[in-house]
Amino acid sequence: MNQDLQQQFVRDMLTESYDGLDRYDRAILLLERQAADTETLNDIFRVVHTLKGTAGCLGFHRIEKLAHAGENLLDALRNGLLAPTPAIASGLLRLSDGLRTLLQTIEATTTDAGAADHTALIADLHDLRLNPAGPAASSPPAHEPLPAADPTPAVSDLASAAAPVDPAAETSALSDGESATWGLFDPLPDAAPAIAAHAAATAPTPSAAAARVSPAPAAPSPTTPAVGETSGRNSALAASSVRVDVALLDRLMNLVGELVLSRNQLVQLAQTRHLRPEAVTEISQRLNLVTTELQEGVMKTRMQPIGNIWGKFPRIVRDIAHELGKQVRLQTVGNETELDRTIIESIRDPLTHIIRNAIDHGIESPEKRSAAGKTAEGQLLMRAYHEGGQVNIEIIDDGAGLNLARIRQKAVEKKLMSAEEAARLSDREATNIVFLPGFSTAEQITNVSGRGVGMDVVKTNIEKIGGSVDIQSAFGQGTTIKIKIPLTLAIVPALIVRAGGDRFAIPQVSLLELVRLEGAAATAALEKVYDTPVFRLRGHLLPLIFLHRELKLPGPTQLDAVNIVVLQADQRTFGLVVDDICDTEEIVVKPLGKHLKSLPMFAGATIMGDGRVALILDALGLAQHSRVVSEAHERARTSAVSDDGSSQSAHLTQLLLFSLPGRARLALPLDQAARLEEIAPKSIETSGAREAVQYRGQIMPLLRLGRYLPGAEDPAATGESLQVIVYQHAGLSIGLVVGHIHDIIAQELAIQPGSAAPGLVGSAVIQGHITDLVDIPAILQSAGLSFAHAA
């Protein structure tokens, strides 16, 4: 056979086999928890039978031999000669692990000649047909390497294998961990004679049966993998491939064709040298549209449902619960939630650590749960959903919750802080101690936990991909861990700013709002608290970072205006002062070179439209580098007292203040304004009988508010940019043309409905002035402009 063809067959076999074994694991767990189902058994049998046949054709006889032993056991189950037991389920899961080990050896070396010997596992699978209960308590766990075969026959093993099964011994052989959680099944009452007859034809030789050794589990060592880690690990081959829907590929091919046509037009235009502005505009618009759709299509090929990794966690939960003698039921919600495959791979280890900690530290033993009035079976819920352009993942357990007193005590014992510092911590701060490196409340090191690397790894890995993690816990009731991560890391929307003459990009996932102070207010509004520059934003003191100072760049010669970019990182809000705010655009993220990777302020780089490179700022890195999260900054940040010394009211409404010629004081709720934009008059076109502009891949109609409010007028037609409030609903946008946008404030509203007029909800006193509140839905209706028209 041609060598390239042989390698292609091997790659195909490995890809299909890994997928098949993932289905196999899920089916075994289903079989263990529920009554035997014919279709489930057939599906399990088909996976092993297909793997056996493919491996045999390609000359991988070790896989063929091991799969054949498992096939015999599954055949007995399928034919009704055996009923599932915990020992059989454990044996079949060990079969899955053994087959994966062989596949990984083939993937690394292209042969199975150097693979571990699985003679003992083959003998165990044979013995399970004779003794379905099996010596489960003495079998090596799935995560431990199987011992090498002992060439010396053990007569006692042969005698015990042939001896009749004692029901009492069968019951006593079950370990405490094999509880009803994972399904206790009794063997068929009269199955022993049939099992013996069925197994006689394929019985291994005495030397093979004698080779089986069942030592007690070894004490954990620093090199022993933690329980549940190996069963959920993907191969490099599986991680390097992705399945794409054929319909999506067809759409991408059509878009590439459109892109080629646009390229041909551009090349012809360049060759003729007749650069008519209309032609250039037409080609650029078409090129922009096709490129945007192509970008979205390519991104969809990278988007994978989170269920691709969640499907491995039931096996991990089963192994850890079995190891700890606990009963845990895992439920997943939102398996279809999609995110970039790079991020999916990045969150696999953090989620595994969280699950291990939840089962080990959170969920109690059945006895303790019963004593506390809970069900013996612990509940573990994993939920994923999209919100605000991010993916939210929640891991919820109904266990013991966090013992904050114990956490403070452990932090002092491990010399992470003094007793006085621990006593001063708030409950929120005490909860965050679990993220400190080296912290653990485990009394001893086990295979599951105790080394103090779990939650530290979680926080570090999540923040590396621009996410955040938060813990909420109630002692005795349970714990909820919330993770927020971006949808993708490849192309992200960003705000472009300037400092010291250079441009920088800030990912919008960290951006909350923009504040601009002009004239005398630029200097008067800046204060200092504990030597920290702050700005009082709606009653809250906002710590400030001056970008040019942090990066040691030359600052502005004179301070005519202050531009503050309000950012959030690690649940903390701060203001980044920049020289100028340029624009927003989608940027392609490029990794940094080795000489810049150690700088925490930068998350990557991008190439701008003019070909120059702009560095991408890391909000969390900036906060850490500037020590904005230090104690002094924290006190400034949490100070939420208004100027008169009273506490801020909880019933505030955020309002956007603007004006029109003829009406100097207008407002609308800020949640109705998706964005604030400046639009050049020359970019306005006509769509139907209405003014419109091209906006973020859509045609956005423009509505001049001055024509629909009594006493108001349109802004004067000048060459300056128009101030536009973008109103969005159901993903569609309408631009509201106003005169000037003045401020964003928060205050209690006392609307006087009697002052309502066409297009107005009413009036209220805002900042000491009577201000009219605009009724945008009513204006859209009177203008005959609905979102159906906007589409």
Side-chain angles (χ1 to χ4, degrees):
M1 182 184 296
N2 181 276
Q3 186 176 1
D4 292 340
L5 189 59
Q6 167 84 3
Q7 291 177 351
Q8 182 60 50
F9 283 152
V10 172
R11 284 195 296 268
D12 291 344
M13 182 203 76
L14 291 173
T15 302
E16 293 176 5
S17 297
Y18 284 128
D19 289 344
L21 288 176
D22 287 343
R23 296 199 319 273
Y24 172 97
D25 281 353
R26 292 193 292 269
I28 293 295
L29 295 178
L30 181 65
L31 187 68
E32 188 178 21
R33 293 185 63 92
Q34 300 178 359
D37 176 80
T38 303
E39 185 54 39
T40 301
L41 284 168
N42 287 336
D43 189 33
I44 297 171
F45 184 86
R46 279 193 296 268
V47 170
V48 177
H49 183 72
T50 301
L51 179 55
K52 168 190 165 184
T54 307
C57 291
L58 294 174
F60 300 126
H61 299 300
R62 293 197 176 192
I63 289 185
E64 184 182 20
K65 185 177 180 182
L66 180 57
H68 180 70
E71 191 180 50
N72 289 336
L73 179 59
L74 289 168
D75 191 46
L77 287 169
R78 210 169 50 141
N79 292 331
L81 300 175
L82 290 178
T85 66
I88 287 179
S90 295
L92 291 174
L93 289 173
R94 289 174 56 206
L95 168 65
S96 171
D97 292 341
L99 291 171
R100 275 195 180 87
T101 301
L102 290 170
L103 291 171
Q104 289 166 0
T105 301
I106 295 171
E107 184 178 345
T109 65
T110 70
T111 178
D112 62 353
D117 184 17
H118 291 87
T119 306
L121 178 55
I122 292 172
D124 282 346
L125 294 172
H126 166 71
D127 286 354
L128 283 171
R129 287 182 296 152
L130 300 175
N131 181 8
S138 62
S139 296
H143 63 277
E144 291 188 19
L146 290 168
D150 183 357
T152 306
V155 178
S156 59
D157 279 355
L158 290 176
S160 62
V165 178
D166 181 3
E170 177 182 278
T171 304
S172 63
L174 299 178
S175 67
D176 293 337
E178 291 166 342
S179 62
T181 303
W182 297 106
L184 282 176
F185 298 97
D186 296 325
L188 296 176
D190 299 321
I195 295 168
H198 181 80
T202 55
T205 62
S207 60
R212 180 171 55 87
V213 181
S214 299
S221 68
T223 58
T224 303
V227 177
E229 285 191 349
T230 55
S231 61
R233 188 73 61 187
N234 263 357
S235 73
L237 181 65
S240 64
S241 60
V242 62
R243 293 186 176 182
V244 181
D245 188 86
V246 175
L248 179 57
L249 288 177
D250 291 341
R251 181 169 177 267
L252 290 177
M253 194 63 199
N254 291 335
L255 288 173
V256 170
E258 296 291 331
L259 190 62
V260 169
L261 293 177
S262 299
R263 181 203 63 185
N264 293 343
Q265 290 178 331
L266 189 60
V267 170
Q268 183 177 2
L269 192 65
Q271 290 174 345
T272 59
R273 301 293 181 179
H274 297 299
L275 301 181
R276 293 181 299 107
E278 298 83 3
V280 174
T281 301
E282 180 182 350
I283 293 177
S284 64
Q285 290 176 350
R286 182 173 182 80
L287 194 61
N288 178 62
L289 179 62
V290 173
T291 305
T292 300
E293 292 185 1
L294 186 61
Q295 171 192 324
E296 293 175 354
V298 172
M299 290 304 300
K300 285 183 180 179
T301 65
R302 295 177 55 89
M303 302 299 281
Q304 301 290 312
I306 199 171
N308 286 358
I309 61 169
W310 280 12
K312 302 179 185 299
F313 288 130
R315 170 72 190 280
I316 295 175
V317 171
R318 186 260 186 198
D319 288 347
I320 298 174
H322 189 278
E323 177 81 4
L324 298 174
K326 296 182 178 181
Q327 303 177 15
V328 183
R329 180 179 295 274
L330 174 66
Q331 181 183 2
T332 59
V333 178
N335 294 37
E336 69 286 349
T337 304
E338 290 188 332
L339 65 164
D340 192 287
R341 62 171 289 107
T342 304
I343 294 182
I344 284 183
E345 293 300 322
S346 300
I347 64 175
R348 180 191 307 276
D349 284 343
L351 291 180
T352 302
H353 282 303
I354 291 174
I355 288 173
R356 286 167 49 203
N357 282 346
I359 300 175
D360 188 24
H361 298 293
I363 296 177
E364 313 94 326
S365 65
E367 297 77 15
K368 289 183 179 179
R369 291 182 63 85
S370 299
K374 300 180 180 180
T375 59
E377 183 180 67
Q379 304 295 320
L380 186 60
L381 171 65
M382 298 179 67
R383 179 167 57 198
Y385 56 93
H386 288 138
E387 183 181 70
Q390 291 182 302
V391 174
N392 289 258
I393 301 175
E394 297 178 353
I395 300 94
I396 305 169
D397 69 71
D398 66 345
L402 295 180
N403 186 338
L404 298 184
R406 177 65 175 154
I407 288 175
R408 290 185 175 95
Q409 177 187 348
K410 273 290 185 180
V412 174
E413 291 176 2
K414 292 181 175 292
K415 303 187 184 305
L416 298 175
M417 60 185 62
S418 66
E420 293 76 16
E421 290 173 331
R424 288 198 301 266
L425 293 178
S426 65
D427 287 351
R428 176 76 175 175
E429 292 168 330
T431 298
N432 289 331
I433 291 178
V434 301
F435 291 120
L436 294 179
F439 181 82
S440 175
T441 57
E443 298 295 338
Q444 60 183 356
I445 294 177
T446 67
N447 276 4
V448 180
S449 63
R451 297 182 177 88
V453 296
M455 296 308 294
D456 176 39
V457 169
V458 168
K459 186 176 178 65
T460 301
N461 288 4
I462 293 299
E463 289 176 350
K464 277 182 181 178
I465 58 175
S468 62
V469 57
D470 179 56
I471 297 181
Q472 299 175 3
S473 182
F475 185 60
Q477 299 179 25
T479 301
T480 298
I481 297 181
K482 296 183 177 181
I483 298 174
K484 291 185 177 182
I485 52 179
L487 282 171
T488 179
L489 299 179
I491 300 176
V492 297
L495 175 72
I496 309 300
V497 300
R498 193 182 298 275
D502 294 324
R503 285 178 297 179
F504 300 90
I506 304 174
Q508 288 192 14
V509 67
S510 305
L511 178 62
L512 295 182
E513 60 179 294
L514 303 177
V515 178
R516 180 177 172 86
L517 307 173
E518 297 181 347
T523 53
L526 303 185
E527 308 174 33
K528 277 198 173 184
V529 176
Y530 302 105
D531 296 326
T532 299
V534 297
F535 169 66
R536 193 174 294 274
L537 180 64
R538 295 189 289 275
H540 294 262
L541 293 180
L542 185 74
L544 297 179
I545 300 174
F546 289 82
L547 184 58
H548 69 273
R549 295 178 187 173
E550 291 301 317
L551 302 182
K552 300 186 179 353
L553 298 173
T557 55
Q558 57 182 8
L559 195 65
D560 297 328
V562 174
N563 297 292
I564 302 174
V565 181
V566 183
L567 302 174
Q568 185 175 45
D570 194 23
Q571 307 298 318
R572 289 168 171 81
T573 304
F574 65 94
L576 182 66
V577 180
V578 299
D579 296 350
D580 193 17
I581 296 173
C582 302
D583 201 356
T584 59
E585 62 180 79
E586 289 188 330
I587 60 173
V588 179
V589 179
K590 301 291 185 182
L592 291 173
K594 293 181 180 179
H595 55 293
L596 291 177
K597 277 191 174 180
S598 60
L599 299 178
M601 299 88 73
F602 304 118
T606 187
I607 301 175
M608 306 300 295
D610 59 3
R612 298 179 63 186
V613 174
L615 291 171
I616 302 171
L617 298 177
D618 186 316
L620 180 62
L622 274 172
Q624 293 173 340
H625 183 265
S626 63
R627 303 182 63 81
V628 77
V629 295
S630 64
E631 184 177 355
H633 288 75
E634 183 68 12
R635 282 181 291 180
R637 183 188 70 85
T638 55
S639 176
V641 180
S642 55
D643 293 331
D644 60 0
S646 61
S647 61
Q648 194 78 348
S649 172
H651 304 287
L652 300 180
T653 301
Q654 288 190 315
L655 298 169
L656 175 65
L657 301 182
F658 63 96
S659 64
L660 282 165
R663 300 196 74 99
R665 302 282 300 182
L666 295 169
L668 59 82
L670 184 60
D671 58 10
Q672 294 185 3
R675 299 183 66 85
L676 306 179
E677 299 283 0
E678 289 186 349
I679 295 178
K682 63 181 180 180
S683 66
I684 299 177
E685 304 177 58
T686 302
S687 175
R690 299 186 182 277
E691 290 182 313
V693 294
Q694 297 180 40
Y695 182 75
R696 296 179 176 269
Q698 297 181 6
I699 297 176
M700 182 173 72
L702 295 180
L703 180 68
R704 297 182 180 265
L705 282 184
R707 300 177 183 177
Y708 298 93
L709 293 176
E713 301 174 4
D714 279 343
T718 66
E720 297 180 357
S721 298
L722 295 175
Q723 301 287 314
V724 175
I725 302 172
V726 180
Y727 179 86
Q728 282 188 338
H729 179 74
L732 300 176
S733 305
I734 293 178
L736 309 175
V737 181
V738 300
H740 294 282
I741 297 173
H742 298 290
D743 200 359
I744 297 174
I745 66 166
Q747 78 168 54
E748 293 187 49
L749 270 187
I751 301 176
Q752 299 183 24
S755 60
L760 299 176
V761 176
S763 301
V765 177
I766 299 175
Q767 293 183 331
H769 300 278
I770 298 176
T771 305
D772 296 324
L773 273 73
V774 180
D775 189 344
I776 299 298
I779 291 177
L780 293 179
Q781 186 175 4
S782 63
L785 185 59
S786 67
F787 284 100
H789 293 99

